[in-house]
Amino acid sequence: MTDDWTGIAELEHRVYGPKGLSEGREVLESRASASPETCFVLTAGHQIAGYVLAMPYPEGQYPDLTEPEGAGCTSRNLHLHDLAIAAAFRGSGLARRLLEHLIATARSRDYDRISLVAVAGSATFWSANGFQPNPDIAPPASYGEKAVYMSMAT
């Protein structure tokens, strides 16, 4: 990760704030602390271009958006909680690069699956990248009305 938590929190707020999904710096830091080896930041010069936060989480479960993470859990499922790309870098393939790096990391660390909650209509992007919806798992309203729990085998 990086020590620029102010920059990460600002990017997260720009991306997720308008959707009512911004979690704030303390919560973001707690997620990265739960599994620093599966959280990454891409920079362009001194600017944060994007980041991904992922942590082991039991399959079918997901973080509470209002609560910091406690102690990390042991699971063979890696939950991709947050992927954000700065507006100036969207459409450049950085999201795919971060996702490919996360998948390679998951495989090297023997995770069986990667899960996520697609928010704000992003399920199409995740489907195009190998994730399948699981309609039996309904995320809470705090994730937004279009939230879809999805996963893929590694």
Side-chain angles (χ1 to χ4, degrees):
M1 280 300 292
T2 180
D3 292 331
D4 187 4
W5 280 103
T6 299
I8 292 169
E10 287 171 357
L11 173 56
E12 186 266 357
H13 185 72
R14 283 193 306 272
V15 171
Y16 293 107
K19 299 170 177 93
L21 300 170
S22 186
E23 298 174 272
R25 180 178 173 162
E26 176 189 359
V27 174
L28 295 173
E29 284 190 61
S30 75
R31 304 223 193 281
S33 293
S35 184
E37 64 277 1
T38 56
C39 298
F40 312 103
V41 174
L42 277 175
T43 58
H46 297 291
Q47 182 180 6
I48 294 175
Y51 70 87
V52 64
L53 301 176
M55 67 219 110
Y57 236 79
E59 192 172 350
Q61 296 181 27
Y62 34 79
D64 180 329
L65 295 179
T66 63
E67 295 294 323
E69 287 302 313
C73 80
T74 304
S75 176
R76 294 184 56 88
N77 180 68
L78 182 64
H79 187 77
L80 191 171
H81 177 68
D82 204 359
L83 188 148
I85 303 296
F89 298 96
R90 291 192 192 132
S92 65
L94 290 183
R96 185 176 298 270
R97 271 184 56 198
L98 277 171
L99 180 58
E100 288 170 355
H101 184 68
L102 182 66
I103 292 169
T105 299
R107 287 178 178 147
S108 73
R109 295 186 176 275
D110 294 325
Y111 286 101
D112 294 331
R113 299 196 72 70
I114 299 175
S115 63
L116 58 86
V117 176
V119 298
S122 64
T124 302
F125 170 82
W126 296 112
S127 290
N129 284 283
F131 288 84
Q132 299 297 315
N134 186 329
D136 296 333
I137 301 169
S142 61
Y143 276 83
E145 65 181 55
K146 296 181 181 180
V148 178
Y149 184 89
M150 304 178 82
S151 66
M152 69 180 288
T154 58

